[in-house]
Amino acid sequence: MQKLRVLALAGVAAIALNACASPRGAGGGGTATPDFSGMSNAAKHAAVQDLGAKYQKSPNKQSAIYFAAALRAVGQTGQAVSVLEKARLQYKNDFDVALAYAKALAADGRFDRALNVLDVTIRPERPNWNALSVKGAIFDQMGRNAEARTLYNQALVIAPNEPSLYANLGLSFAMSNQLDQAEAALRRAISFPKASRKVRLNLALVIGLQGRFDGARSIYARELPPEDVEANMAYIRALLTQQNKWDRIKGSSN
């Protein structure tokens, strides 16, 4: 049963609930980093087996990036780092490999190293929106939310129609309990046709955290089977209880 366990960042450790892998482009051509996290557990492990075999047969740039992404999806973050460390030796100055490596490091909790890789990769005179987004997502995971939002806004100047940037911006606001701003950014994200289902689910979470349970349930009901709707509603209530907000929100609800 799929449950929305944490706020999902589109740039690094996204909890994608769509049914298939969706490539997230590098923002400047080249090899995209795919997102396998929305697959079922069985499909993820099948992808690891398939892409692992392809990587062993031909350990090139694309096979390394794809295999590492699949490994991250099943929680094998250390192995993903190892695969991309080898790719970095072969493709020393390659942007796509560097970005995938930074994502793998961040997923493995090695935030400082990931930031070092990104700082070398991002060119101040020609910044890449995807790299800025990944760096912002790392800052958010480190609790540096204001700095993260500065980077997302910089990236939006470059890619104003990229829904993942608005999604990350919204989740950054949510992490610092600025739920009105979070909702506005997430609603902006879902206004784009290519916005993923995880963005709509995160919007439902943010709405629920404001005590608007009917609105949250309505969104969940359009995206999830009934048992998962109830699991997510229970999760929202548990979050509110943990944050000592439940009584206050119940008292202010209409």
Side-chain angles (χ1 to χ4, degrees):
M1 183 167 59
Q2 293 175 319
K3 297 180 183 179
L4 189 59
R5 289 293 184 187
V6 296
L7 293 173
L9 286 169
V12 175
I15 300 178
L17 297 176
N18 47 308
C20 61
S22 56
R24 180 65 64 191
T31 302
T33 301
D35 179 5
F36 297 98
S37 59
M39 291 180 167
S40 67
N41 285 333
K44 290 176 188 176
H45 283 90
V48 169
Q49 294 299 316
D50 178 53
L51 293 168
K54 291 178 179 177
Y55 172 72
Q56 292 298 326
K57 182 178 180 180
S58 179
N60 56 34
K61 169 182 167 178
Q62 178 172 306
S63 66
I65 290 175
Y66 274 57
F67 182 36
L71 288 168
R72 284 196 290 117
V74 297
Q76 297 298 316
T77 55
Q79 189 176 348
V81 169
S82 296
V83 167
L84 290 165
E85 282 177 342
K86 292 179 182 178
R88 288 270 284 175
L89 294 174
Q90 185 177 358
Y91 303 96
K92 288 182 170 52
N93 299 313
D94 187 90
F95 173 86
D96 300 314
V97 172
L99 188 63
Y101 182 42
K103 290 181 179 182
L105 287 166
D108 200 42
R110 296 156 67 176
F111 299 134
D112 289 338
R113 177 60 181 148
L115 290 174
N116 288 338
V117 171
L118 288 170
D119 286 340
V120 172
T121 303
I122 297 172
R123 296 169 54 184
E125 77 281 6
R126 192 180 177 186
N128 176 279
W129 72 262
N130 204 351
L132 291 171
S133 181
V134 173
K135 186 174 181 179
I138 294 170
F139 277 168
D140 267 327
Q141 291 180 79
M142 297 173 73
R144 297 165 61 178
N145 307 115
E147 293 170 87
R149 292 194 283 271
T150 296
L151 291 173
Y152 298 143
N153 284 316
Q154 290 176 5
L156 282 167
V157 174
I158 304 167
N161 296 319
E162 176 51 50
S164 70
L165 294 174
Y166 289 102
N168 276 3
L169 184 62
L171 294 172
S172 182
F173 279 122
M175 287 178 178
S176 55
N177 202 33
Q178 296 171 266
L179 297 180
D180 289 343
Q181 295 95 320
E183 180 180 346
L186 288 168
R187 287 194 182 279
R188 177 64 172 150
I190 68 169
S191 72
F192 294 96
K194 65 177 182 176
S196 67
R197 182 167 68 153
K198 73 172 179 286
V199 180
R200 295 189 290 274
L201 293 175
N202 283 332
L203 174 61
L205 175 59
V206 166
I207 289 172
L209 289 175
Q210 296 176 71
R212 291 153 50 200
F213 303 122
D214 289 343
R217 185 186 296 277
S218 176
I219 296 173
Y220 282 140
R222 293 195 294 268
E223 304 292 339
L224 299 171
E227 63 272 19
D228 288 356
V229 172
E230 296 311 313
N232 280 280
M233 294 305 299
Y235 176 60
I236 288 173
R237 290 181 169 86
L239 276 181
L240 291 170
T241 300
Q242 292 167 10
Q243 296 171 6
N244 296 318
K245 293 181 181 178
W246 180 238
D247 289 337
R248 177 169 58 83
I249 286 181
K250 283 198 297 184
S252 62
S253 298
N254 293 324

